Amino acid sequence: MKLLYLEDNPAARDYVCRGLGERGFEIHTSGDGQEGLDLLLNDRYDLCILDLGLPSLDGIEVMRRLRQARIEIPTLILSARSNIEDRVEGLNVGADDYLVKPFSFEELVARIHSLKRRTSNGEPTPESLEVSDLVMDLDRRAVTRSGQRVELTRKEYALLEYLMMNSGHTLSRKMITERIWGVEFEGYSNAINVHINHLRNKVENGHGKKLIHTVSGVGYVLEEREDEHEVDLLEMA
Ligand code: CA
């Protein structure tokens, strides 16, 4: 299980990392709220442990933006704030559980397991996504088209993953921005165009069928269309 722990106190971070590492968890950390949010938006973790008092972006805000971007990663808040208001706020913005510091290590481990069981609904998480001959291996974070490796940047990968997870469904430019950049739409319109173009160059050109389609005035959809020509022929016509 791959965890992300957001905590700005080095002593607390080391203590938790060591303990969870010894119990076989793969644990990644950040001490900064904004950086942590970027990691959660662009990488795949099984669970997040979140401190509330964080520099640059408060834990509550991290949680709020994560859920706004429709990222449903199970999240446990681990905080010294013990009053009811803080707990209620944390759960209201979308956290799944709340543990107050100081805590017993065994309780933390038990809650991690329980949270994972509760949120997985017994369904195994998919290991790969496939649309036509385009395959994304989610564990290895590797993409191939017709068996040939496609090298993508982090943002391009995140964008393609989002499109593939929703293949056949149009994603609006606003949804894409919030998911990939975690911000309000203004100012990111051009960034989407640039990234979609890069993605098309890498995934489609010279590789066969066009898969990423523009939905005029709305956004984009990734799907295989029967009557679609090879991209290279289309460009020449
Ligand atoms: Ca803190």
Side-chain angles (χ1 to χ4, degrees):
M1 206 192 289
K2 184 175 162 190
L3 312 182
L4 183 67
Y5 180 30
L6 302 188
E7 167 64 76
D8 60 329
N9 178 327
R13 206 162 57 212
D14 290 351
Y15 171 69
V16 169
C17 285
R18 195 163 353 104
L20 291 181
E22 282 165 4
R23 284 165 176 81
F25 292 95
E26 178 185 346
I27 181 148
H28 299 243
T29 62
S30 168
D32 181 88
Q34 182 62 55
E35 183 187 84
L37 178 64
D38 288 342
L39 288 170
L40 289 163
L41 291 171
N42 291 294
D43 264 331
R44 198 163 153 264
Y45 299 95
D46 296 304
L47 191 136
C48 173
I49 303 172
L50 182 65
D51 177 33
L52 290 183
L54 289 170
S56 86
L57 203 60
D58 174 73
I60 291 288
E61 201 48 38
V62 170
M63 197 65 243
R64 197 192 314 274
R65 294 192 193 181
L66 205 54
R67 296 315 190 213
Q68 266 170 5
R70 296 182 179 78
I71 293 184
E72 302 301 332
I73 180 173
T75 302
L76 168 76
I77 291 176
L78 186 57
S79 173
R81 298 182 200 165
S82 60
N83 62 55
I84 289 292
E85 290 78 6
D86 284 315
R87 292 191 196 212
V88 168
E89 190 182 17
L91 297 171
N92 274 345
V93 294
D96 301 284
D97 201 358
Y98 196 113
L99 183 59
V100 176
K101 295 173 189 168
F103 57 93
S104 109
F105 214 88
E106 293 317 314
E107 182 173 10
L108 175 64
V109 172
R111 292 223 197 183
I112 289 172
H113 284 303
S114 138
L115 190 51
K116 196 65 193 115
R117 271 198 308 275
R118 208 142 52 77
T119 49
S120 68
N121 299 322
E123 292 169 23
T125 45
E127 285 165 8
S128 66
L129 300 170
E130 281 186 48
V131 178
S132 179
D133 56 352
L134 179 65
V135 180
M136 174 175 275
D137 181 324
L138 295 168
D139 285 330
R140 288 170 45 238
R141 294 181 67 77
V143 176
T144 55
R145 179 96 201 247
S146 307
Q148 277 187 300
R149 183 73 186 257
V150 180
E151 297 295 340
L152 300 176
T153 64
R154 249 163 114 90
K155 289 281 185 216
E156 288 161 4
Y157 181 95
L159 178 56
L160 185 63
E161 182 183 34
Y162 190 36
L163 285 165
M164 288 184 80
M165 279 185 165
N166 295 282
S167 70
H169 300 280
T170 301
L171 299 176
S172 73
R173 295 169 61 83
K174 186 172 191 294
M175 286 163 75
I176 293 172
T177 314
E178 286 178 2
R179 170 70 183 246
I180 307 300
W181 284 274
V183 291
E184 299 300 322
F185 185 60
E186 278 88 70
Y188 279 80
S189 178
N190 193 46
I192 299 183
N193 298 344
V194 169
H195 282 80
I196 288 280
N197 280 339
H198 287 170
L199 209 49
R200 281 178 164 156
N201 281 334
K202 291 182 176 180
V203 169
E204 295 181 340
N205 286 355
H207 285 292
K209 275 185 182 175
K210 190 171 154 63
L211 295 174
I212 303 169
H213 309 276
T214 302
V215 180
S216 185
V218 184
Y220 300 94
V221 59
L222 187 144
E223 64 187 354
E224 182 175 21
R225 292 183 180 169
E226 284 311 317
D227 56 349
E228 210 66 57
H229 296 284
E230 300 245 322
V231 172
D232 290 347
L233 297 176
L234 201 73
E235 308 284 280
M236 282 161 65

